[in-house]
Amino acid sequence: QVRLVESGGGSVQAAGSLKLSCVVSGRDADTYCMAWFRQAPGKEREAVAKIDRYGNIYYVDSVKGRFTIAQGNAKSTLYLQMNNLKPEDTAMYYCAADGPFCGVRVSIWGDSPTYWGQGTQVTVSS
């Protein structure tokens, strides 16, 4: 089992930047597929970015070119660098994971990971 703890959310003006972090702890933590999801009030949860064990990455179209998902050394931390933020990026952001020894690639990995963090709020004002 893996534990996920997010941080880095906050309030920014449009065009600003934030960097979210997710500390990943637990046995075989470096073998999980990892993702960032978000959910805005009244909207369905959506996958923002995913990274599999092979380094393949997925981004939802609305954040391509603005957001970057990355893993730190030993894959103990997952990051989401968010640039040129827009009001429509306002949501609760969640770190999520599947594993251990996740063998799927992002192209077929679904949107219901097993493990979730508590979430961190991102608010973008115009």
Side-chain angles (χ1 to χ4, degrees):
Q1 187 169 343
V2 68
R3 183 169 182 255
L4 309 172
V5 180
E6 304 100 328
S7 63
S11 296
V12 296
Q13 290 191 327
S17 298
L18 282 173
K19 186 175 184 177
L20 305 183
S21 298
C22 172
V23 175
V24 185
S25 60
R27 186 174 181 177
D28 300 317
D30 61 340
T31 68
Y32 284 70
C33 294
M34 303 295 303
W36 288 99
F37 283 74
R38 67 185 178 187
Q39 187 165 23
K43 294 187 176 181
E44 291 188 357
R45 183 181 69 198
E46 70 171 348
V48 176
K50 303 177 182 178
I51 184 167
D52 63 28
R53 287 181 63 198
Y54 313 102
N56 300 303
I57 291 174
Y58 158 89
Y59 294 105
V60 68
D61 285 346
S62 60
V63 308
K64 285 180 180 177
R66 301 189 297 121
F67 290 13
T68 303
I69 188 171
Q71 291 175 295
N73 292 339
K75 298 184 178 180
S76 59
T77 308
L78 181 73
Y79 300 102
L80 186 68
Q81 177 67 49
M82 305 185 294
N83 298 327
N84 190 22
L85 282 160
K86 303 176 180 181
E88 52 263 41
D89 294 317
T90 295
M92 184 72 79
Y93 283 71
Y94 298 91
C95 177
D98 256 339
F101 305 107
C102 177
V104 298
R105 296 183 185 272
V106 290
S107 57
I108 61 172
W109 185 24
D111 287 346
S112 298
T114 303
Y115 303 102
W116 294 83
Q118 82 286 354
T120 185
Q121 178 68 37
V122 171
T123 302
V124 185
S125 58
S126 58

